[in-house]
């Protein structure tokens, strides 16, 4: 196994522990990946059904561009591997992170009918790659959830083509996907987007209580 894969596996396990500590990938939820090699495409990814609070580097799998496992024949990669591969293909991402947080679950449902959630006017937006001002308007697309992963991957591909500036998207009543040039940037995007989602959710609650 390449040294780069071993390093990324360590890093992914560490990031999973951090996300679990924030309550964003409880139980076996969520999944994480990082590009080991672009050509041919090789992705380090979390296995299916692994508890993210106790994930070890040895559990991380190496897959090819069709989600076939290279590192451990017979092992099963994340059920959502096809979504990770599509994001990498569409965005040239170096890492993809997916959380099942409370706020992304709640807001993806509340704003689901509009197929997206606008985020505007917050200083924290400047933590997203390329954003220079709080006046930025981020559109976080929302897709209907599905267990048909090939079909959902195609929908993700369409949405990413439609919203070229989006830094992430939500799956309805499911969670958040975001990515970055590398794992550090993807991790930053999770923190920024989760902060913004919680802020929007709490603001809506406070407004309701004030009325
Ligand atoms: Zn998921």
């Amino acid at each position: 196994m390449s040294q780069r894969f071993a390093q990324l596996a360590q890093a992914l396990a560490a990031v999973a522990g951090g996300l679990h500590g924030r309550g964003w990938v409880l139980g076996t939820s969520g999944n994480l990946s990082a590009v080991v090699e672009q050509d041919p495409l090789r992705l380090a990814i979390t296995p299916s059904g692994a508890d993210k609070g106790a994930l070890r580097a040895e559990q991380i799998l190496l897959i090819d561009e069709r989600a076939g496992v290279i590192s451990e024949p017979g092992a099963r990669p994340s059920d959502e591997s096809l979504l990770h591969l599509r994001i990498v293909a569409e965005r040239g991402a170096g890492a993809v992170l997916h959380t099942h947080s409370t706020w992304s679950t709640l807001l993806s449902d509340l704003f689901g009918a509009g197929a997206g959630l606008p985020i505007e006017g917050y200083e924290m937006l400047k933590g997203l790659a390329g954003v220079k001002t709080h006046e930025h308007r981020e559109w976080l697309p929302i897709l209907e959830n599905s267990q048909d992963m090939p079909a959902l991957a195609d929908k993700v591909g369409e949405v990413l083509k439609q919203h070229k500036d989006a830094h992430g998207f939500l799956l309805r009543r499911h969670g958040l996907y975001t990515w970055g040039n590398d794992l550090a940037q993807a991790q930053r995007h999770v923190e920024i987007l989760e902060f913004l989602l919680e802020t929007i959710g709490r603001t809506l609650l406070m407004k309701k209580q004030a009325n």
Side-chain angles (χ1 to χ4, degrees):
M1 212 53 62
S2 75
Q3 198 184 348
R4 184 166 160 73
F5 173 60
Q7 281 169 352
L8 284 173
Q10 288 283 357
L12 285 170
V15 171
L19 297 180
H20 182 269
R22 302 297 303 271
W24 297 335
V25 291
L26 294 178
T28 58
S29 73
N31 35 68
L32 303 81
S33 72
V35 173
V36 178
E37 219 180 288
Q38 272 294 352
D39 193 19
L41 183 62
R42 296 289 181 262
L43 205 62
I45 193 161
T46 45
S48 176
D51 192 324
K52 301 305 177 299
L55 189 75
R56 289 172 287 109
E58 306 87 83
Q59 291 174 276
I60 302 290
L61 301 173
L62 184 69
I63 62 169
D64 64 19
E65 73 286 356
R66 290 178 189 169
V69 178
I70 297 168
S71 56
E72 251 183 82
R76 220 173 107 218
S78 162
D79 295 336
E80 294 173 52
S81 295
L82 292 180
L83 306 190
H84 286 247
L85 288 163
R86 190 61 66 103
I87 293 166
V88 168
E90 285 293 332
R91 284 294 200 261
V96 179
L97 299 175
H98 169 48
T99 56
H100 287 197
S101 63
T102 303
W103 291 108
S104 67
T105 302
L106 290 171
L107 291 173
S108 65
D109 196 26
L110 199 60
F111 287 83
L117 166 61
I119 310 175
E120 197 172 6
Y122 293 101
E123 182 68 15
M124 279 289 260
L125 283 162
K126 287 161 63 183
L128 300 174
V131 176
K132 301 276 187 270
T133 167
H134 66 282
E135 289 169 352
H136 171 77
R137 186 177 198 268
E138 181 77 16
W139 179 255
L140 202 56
I142 301 172
L143 289 80
E144 288 298 327
N145 194 28
S146 170
Q147 303 302 323
D148 181 345
M149 286 304 148
L152 189 53
D154 285 344
K155 289 216 174 92
V156 165
E158 282 168 29
V159 164
L160 293 180
K161 280 193 172 78
Q162 249 170 44
H163 302 282
K164 293 222 178 285
D165 295 333
H167 292 82
F169 61 84
L170 299 173
L171 296 178
R172 195 167 185 177
R173 289 190 171 192
H174 178 161
L176 166 73
Y177 266 91
T178 186
W179 51 85
N181 293 335
D182 55 25
L183 192 52
Q185 191 182 76
Q187 190 181 8
R188 198 173 83 220
H189 286 167
V190 170
E191 290 185 1
I192 297 290
L193 290 171
E194 289 290 358
F195 171 91
L196 289 165
L197 289 170
E198 182 169 351
T199 298
I200 288 167
R202 287 189 184 279
T203 301
L204 290 170
L205 278 175
M206 286 161 73
K207 278 184 181 163
K208 205 169 175 9
Q209 279 160 7
N211 282 335

